[in-house]
Amino acid sequence: MAKMDYYVWEESCAAVKRWREKGLVTVPISVNISRADFIYFRGQDVLQPLVEKYGLEPSDLHLEVTESAYVDHQEMVISQINSLHKRGFPIELDDFGTGYSSLSMFSHMNIDVVKLDMSFIRQARSEQNDKMLQHIITMCKAMGLQVLSEGVETEEQLQRLLSMGCDYVQG
C-alpha cells in the first residue's frame, strides 16, 4: 500500500510540474497519507525530496491524514505530521467524525484543515444534526482551522454548510 501511495504522490508532483510548464495555473493537490505510510517510511524523508525533485513548494501538496492513522503509534504519527507541517506541508484531517474522533488530536498535531466526513451532510436533516454540525464547525473555526465538508450534492446542502461557516465543500 505504501508503495502505491508513493507512486500517487510522485505522479501528482509530476502532473503539477507538467501543467506549470504548459503555462497553466495550478492549485494545491491533496494526497492521502495512510497509517501504513507512517510505519513504512518517514514522510518528511520522502515527501520533501519529491517536491524538490519537481520544483514545487511543500504548500503545493496538501497531506490528508485520516483520524485512524492517529490510533496506532501516536507519538510517531504526531511527530511526523508536525515535522511535515513545520516544513510547509498543509495538513488536512480527513474523514473527521467517523470512528476515532479524539478531540485531543487537535492539541497534539498541527492541522490546517478539518475535512468533515460526508456522513454529516448525508444524514437526514434534523435540528439535532444541524446543532452538532454547527458546533463542530464553530469549534474548528475558533481554533483557527479551515473546514471542508465532503459529500455535498445539492444546492440546499451547500447553502446550509455555508450558513454555518464551512469554508469549502467537496462533492
Side-chain angles (χ1 to χ4, degrees):
M1 181 63 121
K3 288 181 181 181
M4 178 62 79
D5 287 343
Y6 180 85
Y7 174 79
V8 170
W9 301 340
E10 182 154 32
E11 288 300 310
S12 298
C13 291
V16 172
K17 180 180 180 180
R18 281 192 309 275
W19 297 332
R20 288 184 178 167
E21 287 173 346
K22 291 180 180 182
L24 300 172
V25 176
T26 61
V27 295
I29 293 181
S30 294
V31 296
N32 291 306
I33 296 185
S34 71
R35 182 178 11 200
D37 296 329
F38 288 112
I39 296 167
Y40 189 74
F41 50 72
R42 295 174 52 88
Q44 65 268 20
D45 295 341
V46 172
L47 291 165
Q48 188 71 41
L50 263 182
V51 295
E52 290 172 3
K53 176 181 177 180
Y54 292 97
L56 306 179
E57 294 296 322
S59 59
D60 291 321
L61 205 60
H62 288 216
L63 308 178
E64 293 186 13
V65 181
T66 61
E67 290 180 288
S68 63
Y70 178 77
V71 177
D72 297 325
H73 312 287
Q74 287 183 11
E75 289 181 22
M76 177 192 59
V77 170
I78 291 168
S79 173
Q80 287 189 42
I81 287 172
N82 290 342
S83 176
L84 287 162
H85 189 266
K86 186 175 181 178
R87 292 171 187 241
F89 289 95
I91 306 296
E92 300 179 357
L93 182 60
D94 196 18
D95 297 330
F96 181 76
T98 59
Y100 191 62
S101 295
S102 172
L103 295 178
S104 69
M105 289 185 299
F106 293 110
S107 65
H108 301 295
M109 290 191 293
N110 295 316
I111 300 167
D112 299 291
V113 178
V114 174
K115 293 183 70 176
L116 302 176
D117 186 73
M118 69 177 66
S119 62
F120 284 109
I121 198 66
R122 297 229 172 124
Q123 291 176 11
R125 187 166 183 189
S126 70
E127 183 179 340
Q128 193 69 4
N129 186 34
D130 279 2
K131 283 181 183 178
M132 180 178 60
L133 192 54
Q134 180 65 69
H135 287 300
I136 292 169
I137 292 171
T138 300
M139 176 193 70
C140 291
K141 302 298 278 184
M143 296 172 64
L145 303 172
Q146 294 181 319
V147 181
L148 182 150
S149 181
E150 301 174 324
V152 176
E153 295 181 341
T154 68
E155 181 68 24
E156 184 273 331
Q157 291 171 337
L158 172 64
Q159 294 308 317
R160 184 170 139 221
L161 288 162
L162 292 176
S163 73
M164 292 181 182
C166 188
D167 297 296
Y168 306 102
V169 297
Q170 179 179 333

